[in-house]
Amino acid sequence: MINNKVKQLALDFPHRPSLGRDDFMVAGCNQEAVSTIDLWPAWPYFAICIYGPSGCGKTHLANVFAQMVALHTNHPYRIPFIQASQITKEMSHTLFETSPQIVIEELQNLSDQEALFHLYNTYRDLGGNILFTSEIAPARINFSLKDLQSRMSIVPALEIKAPDDELLMALLLKLFTDRQITPSAELLDYLLKNMHRSFSYARKLVEEIDNISLAKKRAISIPIAKEAISTLNSDRQFNLFY
């Protein structure tokens, strides 16, 4: 016998985030980071670090940087994006030979400090560029290797702060648009007044609203948004994205 109480699962329809320069919402909380990315290749130093909470747009800006490299250098393929936790000593020269510009993400998860030390020196000495991303400022990362600590201390670090009302509204609209959804002004206003104010929460909230709408086969509405907010706020894993 079919259990009528079995929750109907939403189909996993694909959605494509827009990651171009024109898709990035610029506001006071990220203006400095955006302006510095736009300066490349005339950066104040060979490397920079953009840091801020999960979901604030660091990877988006890294993709903008990659596009700028392609535009200015006719680079035939996307520059490497490397997790800091996966850096090895063997990478230094082989990486530079492949691409003089790279992105190193999640600097706070660095595991091999000596490997990054050598990679840093190679790119600095040979005229390359590194864009670091991190959830915390490099100055707050515990680099036990003092030579690396001294080098990272002179890398310009640009913070993306918590979103203001204008940016949060624009972010919600973009997140819905990435899922081919056109939200009403009333819905956006309701969300802005009732949601927790963070980039990650906004992303999780739009995902939850979409899932509930698909599962119930109902158009997105304020009652569905209210249910989504209630679900997220009662989730024991809430602190992972807030």
Side-chain angles (χ1 to χ4, degrees):
M1 182 176 65
I2 297 175
N3 186 348
N4 292 327
K5 293 184 180 180
V6 173
K7 180 178 179 181
Q8 181 179 0
L9 298 177
L11 295 177
D12 187 20
F13 291 106
H15 63 282
R16 181 183 61 82
S18 301
L19 294 175
R21 174 62 177 84
D22 293 340
D23 300 307
F24 192 88
M25 286 84 69
V26 181
C29 63
N30 59 31
Q31 177 67 61
E32 186 179 15
V34 174
S35 297
T36 303
I37 289 290
D38 286 344
L39 279 176
W40 191 86
W43 277 0
Y45 194 54
F46 87 97
I48 66 169
C49 179
I50 294 175
Y51 71 96
S54 175
C56 71
K58 300 185 295 294
T59 296
H60 190 146
L61 279 180
N63 277 278
V64 172
F65 170 62
Q67 292 170 6
M68 291 183 66
V69 171
L71 178 65
H72 285 278
T73 66
N74 294 318
H75 204 277
Y77 51 85
R78 186 172 182 264
I79 64 174
F81 279 52
I82 305 159
Q83 290 294 313
S85 60
Q86 299 176 357
I87 295 174
T88 64
K89 295 181 182 67
E90 293 73 29
M91 284 184 175
S92 296
H93 286 283
T94 55
L95 259 181
F96 187 85
E97 291 170 1
T98 302
S99 178
Q101 287 78 36
I102 58 172
V103 174
I104 296 179
E105 296 196 282
E106 305 294 342
L107 180 62
Q108 77 280 356
N109 294 331
L110 178 66
S111 54
D112 191 334
Q113 295 187 26
E114 188 175 347
L116 179 58
F117 175 75
H118 290 298
L119 192 65
Y120 180 109
N121 288 342
T122 297
Y123 273 75
R124 181 199 59 188
D125 296 345
L126 297 181
N129 296 111
I130 302 175
L131 171 60
F132 294 99
T133 71
S134 178
E135 291 191 3
I136 59 177
R140 294 180 56 201
I141 298 176
N142 182 25
F143 294 114
S144 57
L145 185 62
K146 297 305 179 183
D147 287 339
L148 178 62
Q149 183 181 42
S150 65
R151 282 161 173 73
M152 291 303 303
S153 69
I154 59 177
V155 172
L158 311 165
E159 181 182 11
I160 299 182
K161 301 179 179 69
D164 55 22
D165 283 359
E166 181 182 5
L167 181 58
L168 197 55
M169 181 71 80
L171 176 61
L172 287 169
L173 181 58
K174 177 185 182 299
L175 292 170
F176 279 117
T177 301
D178 284 345
R179 293 173 176 268
Q180 293 80 51
I181 298 169
T182 303
S184 67
E186 292 77 15
L187 175 65
L188 292 174
D189 186 61
Y190 175 84
L191 294 176
L192 192 62
K193 290 177 179 177
N194 292 277
M195 65 183 287
H196 290 279
R197 308 182 66 77
S198 74
F199 296 99
S200 293
Y201 187 94
R203 295 177 187 278
K204 192 71 175 177
L205 178 57
V206 170
E207 178 184 1
E208 186 68 19
I209 289 171
D210 193 18
N211 287 342
I212 293 173
S213 172
L214 290 170
K216 294 189 173 183
K217 296 183 179 179
R218 288 167 45 195
I220 288 175
S221 61
I222 289 177
I224 285 180
K226 184 176 181 180
E227 181 179 346
I229 290 173
S230 177
T231 298
L232 294 186
N233 292 356
S234 62
D235 190 338
R236 293 182 179 180
Q237 300 299 312
F238 171 73
N239 63 339
L240 294 180
F241 54 79
Y242 174 51

